[in-house]
Amino acid sequence: MNLHLDDTPLTQIETDCLVVGFYQSDSLPPAAGAVDEASGGMIRRMVESGDIENGLGKTSLLHNVPGLGAKRILTVGFGKPEKLNLARFDRACLAAGKALRDYSFTECHVSVHDVAFDGSDAESRLRQAALAIHRSNFLYTTTKSPKDDAPAPLTSASFQGDRQWESAIQQAEAFAVGYEKARTLGDLPPNICTPAFLVQDAKAIAEKYENVSLEVLEEDDMAEKGMDALLAVSRGSELAAKLIVLKYSGAAKDQSPVVLIGKGITFDSGGLSLKSGENMMQMKYDMCGAAGVIGAFVACARLQMRVNVICIVAAVENMPDGNACRPGDVITSMSGKTIEVLNTDAEGRLVLCDAITYSEQFKPDVIIDAATLTGACVVALGHHATGLMSNDDELAGELVAAGDAIVDRAWRLPIWEEYQSQLDTPFADMKNVGGMSAGVLTAGCFLSRFAEDQRWAHLDVAGSAWKWGSNDGASGRPAGLLAQFLLNRSS
Ligand code: BES
Ligand code: MN
Ligand code: ZN
């Protein structure tokens, strides 16, 4: 989908559909005011009669509005101006994008950046609007037969504004492609999206973008490095595990990289600690952490950000088998620390701990992992916030701020050392489960033991990477948060 700017006066724009924003109040934002004036007061009358709804996310389609080059107007409500913030702004724009799609517009012109509110500027509203319009246009098609009556996608959207905002549009486009990458990978079924498939996909990324290189570790390479925690998870699967290492060099060689690590369990059956049918049903999504870091990596490479990034994906399938890891097995991780695997369904931390240890050789500035790690995270935070845990206050702050800035939000949770004792066992340095209480935190505590000398953060996206039991599919999160984090560091 093509995003671009157009500074033709609003009333002269020729388009199938002009998108204009409204407050839930007597005042009209500038674009709505201009349209009202051109139409001889028709718009204001329709607001007063209630024919234009201005509640948050409400849309209406108007035909034959006089005085305009546009054939139709899609009105979008942004709710009460005093309640407006970037998250609400984003929600309204997503609703507008959905309406555009439902009406089968293939082209539109949008002017909602003038729907101002405290604490934001026109450029960031423009960026958010462009990103939301692009995102809401996504439709999964890979394994679905095309339908004749399916709504046509938007192929092009222009936004009111001139050259000075070119970078906002470029960012929106790159972020949208990043989200799209993450969603596409997340939604793919586990018989297609295997560890080997993720390698092929990474190859395509490395070929497509400048300054990107790829290295893949096979099981033999991992065994040589002593990555027995990761390999213990893979043992029950017919599919070979892959450790995918994508490198992007956008800054001076001596600038230490940001390492992004993604949990890429392409299917999580639970292993011998087998999940119930109900719980297993959605476990193709257990590689959404990987999908999110790959999405952020793509956004970064598209914008050729000035930062060095190493994106590591632990691509593994977790299956039960005669050869599978048993509950009770003690394994030795790459770090040398021993782990008693009491539940083979707590496999994410096993693949991540070796990936974290492996990443140390890159002398990272920071390490950030993303993972659909615990059901407990969803109990705690539901589907709107990503769970953030970190051993570094500054890094945690940067991540929260990045999430806020792009409305892909995270909320920090404590991994105080008091929680660590829940991982104690007489039989190894730690066990891989921490009992009933605070399951999201003990998973974070487990990982923190492998990042002791690093500035590290962990994003639990079990609730935010897709919406359980809905038909929505993957969200693409946390690709936006991480892309914004990288952008903030790009200098
Ligand atoms: N991938 C799951 C976590 C998960 C469950 C994410 C449901 C999204 C939805 C993870 O591998 C897992 O099974 N975690 C266990 C950990 C437990 C055994 C300590 C869990 O959350 O139940
Ligand atoms: Mn599991
Ligand atoms: Zn899992």
Side-chain angles (χ1 to χ4, degrees), residues 370-393:
T372 49
L373 206 62
T374 65
C377 183
V378 195
V379 175
L381 293 174
H383 297 288
H384 302 299
T386 291
L388 161 66
M389 284 144 270
S390 179
N391 59 9
D392 188 281
D393 291 345

Side-chain angles (χ1 to χ4, degrees), residues 263 265 268 283 286 345 347-348 372-373:
K263 170 179 173 183
I265 300 293
D268 181 12
M283 281 301 123
D286 213 15
D345 197 10
E347 84 297 339
T372 49
L373 206 62

Side-chain angles (χ1 to χ4, degrees), residues 5 13 17 48 55 61 63 91 103-104 148 159 175 183 248 264 273 295 297 310 391 396 433:
L5 290 162
I13 292 261
C17 186
E48 280 159 12
L61 192 65
H63 301 262
R91 244 190 290 160
Y103 287 123
S104 286
D148 294 341
F159 292 81
F175 281 48
R183 288 170 79 168
Y248 169 74
S273 313
F297 186 88
I310 297 183
N391 59 9
V433 288

Side-chain angles (χ1 to χ4, degrees), residues 397-414:
E398 279 182 67
L399 285 164
V400 169
D404 288 348
I406 198 74
V407 196
D408 180 356
R409 292 172 294 174
W411 194 258
R412 192 175 182 189
L413 301 169

